[in-house]
Amino acid sequence: MREGKILTKVRIGVIGAGSIAWSATLIRDLSLTKGLQGSTVVFMDINRERLNLIYRFARRYVSEVKADLKFEKTTDLREAVRDADFVINTAMAGGHYYYEKMREVSEQHGYYRGINSVEWNMVSDYHTIWGYYQFKLMMDVAKTIEDLSPNAWLLLLANPVFEGTTLLSRETKIKVIGLCHGHLGYQEIAEVLGLNPENVEFEAIGFNHTIWMTKFLHDGEDAYPLLDEWIEKKAEKYWRRWRRKQKSPFDIQMSPAAIDMYKRYGLFPVGDSVRSGTWKYHWNLRTKKKWFGPSGGPDSEIGWKIYLENHEKWLNRAIKAINDTETPLTELLPPKISQESVVPIINSIVNDERGLYQVNVLNQGVINGIPDNVAVEIPAEIDGKGVHRIPVKELPSRVLKYVIYPRMIRMEWALEAFLEGGRDLLFDWLIVDARTKSTRQVEETIDAILSLPENKEMAKHFS
């Protein structure tokens, strides 16, 4: 917030606002939050068509629900950031098409699902080693905030949240919070066990997309024994039905992979963590289907195609609804606040209403065994004075040694590659990959990726 003022209204810049599905949810949640009425939202995107669509959606939606919000639109990053109290970055540099192209090239050289898919980082839009432009965009946003709105909060939703939050916290002076909703997977765990999620208290900590349930209470009692009983007596029956009627590729929270990880590491993986793991679960499509169901999970060639197609369908439906001025937009997006934490966090900071949130921030001594300057995903309290880290349970040695440390090394590799450049770092990334058969394979893969027309600047960086 700007110093010296008590704010009841704030200015929020949204970078990558053309992501209509996410921006529409943001507008709905802001519209339904009384403490933020009168605020201004500045949409920024380089795609003018998408920018105009979300601008039109926002104006109509607030009119329908009678909310008091103002909107601006721009293709200029500096204009979106100037005088902002909060900046939300949800942008993906290059978009899905660009990364799918690099994945295709990788697979042609023997790297199934791309060179970004490595142990504990199998999520399909979590781009690290080939995320040069994404990191560059994140840094551009952060440096612009430092220049024009140094007291603003940056809420980072754009992947990779783990690498991005660590990078920006180390390399800039801005206040950054990384956010993800994967921790909500605890609700599905509770529901499958027949528990009311509202009566569940949980804690899940680690790195973004690699969090582990260190606390699981129902009505104040340890619920892990209920989970053990379900695994012993009901899991097989559940999986038989699940394999016949899997709701979507993302329906994997209680999959065989999750249970196997629990048995192997001693804690239950939550949300996107189930999608991660080692090559044991991801070696090929047949392996993925064994552990994640008929689609192979959201990150197989089948599951990810379904996701992209469904995303496109929703986008087309949204465009049609926005262009149809006769049909209320509340039919597309009913006025019910979501479970996303972005707007509640803004409200907690602006109105000094302390709340408990799942956030990604530098560790600073919270989780034993992890350096202070590495971003961790933890529960934290937030109010008008900012983020307050709270004590958490210990991660067991097995999780630290075989999950956390390997994942942290990959993060450090990716950030060093972005910050320092040089071909050797790409070589080192691939030479230890389980799919690598020869030095020649590594060199040819790097050449092919850097030869893409879109990667001209990236090729210079890694020369």
Side-chain angles (χ1 to χ4, degrees), residues 31 55 97 205 229-230 261 264 273 279 332 454:
S31 298
Y55 180 74
Y97 170 77
I205 64 174
E229 182 181 7
W230 180 88
M261 289 181 197
R264 197 172 184 84
S273 311
W279 286 105
L332 175 72
E454 298 92 333

Side-chain angles (χ1 to χ4, degrees), residues 36-104:
L36 297 174
Q37 297 303 293
S39 297
T40 298
V41 180
V42 185
F43 297 121
M44 182 270 161
D45 204 288
I46 60 173
N47 186 317
R48 290 182 181 274
E49 183 180 358
R50 292 281 190 90
L51 183 63
N52 289 332
L53 278 169
I54 192 60
Y55 180 74
R56 288 165 52 202
F57 171 91
R59 295 189 63 176
R60 275 185 57 195
Y61 196 87
V62 298
S63 176
E64 289 179 20
V65 300
K66 295 180 173 51
D68 178 17
L69 295 172
K70 300 177 179 63
F71 301 101
E72 299 175 11
K73 58 179 178 175
T74 181
T75 58
D76 186 340
L77 173 61
R78 293 180 67 84
E79 188 176 334
V81 169
R82 183 176 286 109
D83 295 327
D85 301 293
F86 297 88
V87 176
I88 301 168
N89 183 4
T90 183
M92 177 186 285
H96 285 303
Y97 170 77
Y98 165 63
Y99 293 105
E100 293 307 303
K101 193 172 181 180
M102 286 201 288
R103 198 186 322 274
E104 182 180 352

Side-chain angles (χ1 to χ4, degrees), residues 196-216:
N196 183 348
E198 293 183 1
N199 298 330
V200 168
E201 181 183 353
F202 88 106
E203 175 185 279
I205 64 174
F207 299 145
N208 183 232
H209 292 184
T210 319
I211 56 174
W212 300 83
M213 194 161 62
T214 47
K215 181 192 296 183
F216 184 37

